[in-house]
Amino acid sequence: MKKIYEYISIDEKKEVVEKLKADLKQLEQEINQNKDSFSKLVCEILYSTRDKWHLEIEELENEIKANS
């Protein structure tokens, strides 16, 4: 995914960050509401996805700040 970010503008990166934040919020709500319904494996996958999205957001925000 990171290679894709090399080819988009700062404005597009800002849009990606906003979309990722919205998706992250939705994922966290899903985890909180249904974590007892998920198997341990599914929970680990969801937590891993959440952590990766946090990192993606942080990296994009740092890149936006560096290039603004």
Side-chain angles (χ1 to χ4, degrees):
M1 202 63 103
K2 292 177 186 172
K3 288 191 177 206
I4 294 172
Y5 298 141
E6 293 176 14
Y7 302 104
I8 63 176
S9 69
I10 295 297
D11 289 334
E12 290 170 321
K13 289 177 184 177
K14 289 177 182 178
E15 289 179 35
V16 169
V17 167
E18 292 306 313
K19 289 178 183 178
L20 275 172
K21 284 181 178 181
D23 288 346
L24 180 61
K25 184 177 179 180
Q26 185 177 0
L27 177 63
E28 288 177 337
Q29 288 174 344
E30 186 73 26
I31 291 170
N32 290 335
Q33 291 173 356
N34 299 308
K35 64 183 167 191
D36 295 331
S37 302
F38 296 135
S39 69
K40 184 176 180 179
L41 176 64
V42 171
C43 284
E44 289 301 316
I45 292 168
L46 293 173
Y47 291 140
S48 175
T49 300
R50 180 194 62 191
D51 294 343
K52 288 176 185 175
W53 287 0
H54 274 291
L55 287 173
E56 288 290 324
I57 291 168
E58 184 178 324
E59 288 176 7
L60 280 168
E61 287 177 333
N62 288 340
E63 192 172 324
I64 290 167
K65 286 178 188 174
N67 294 310
S68 291

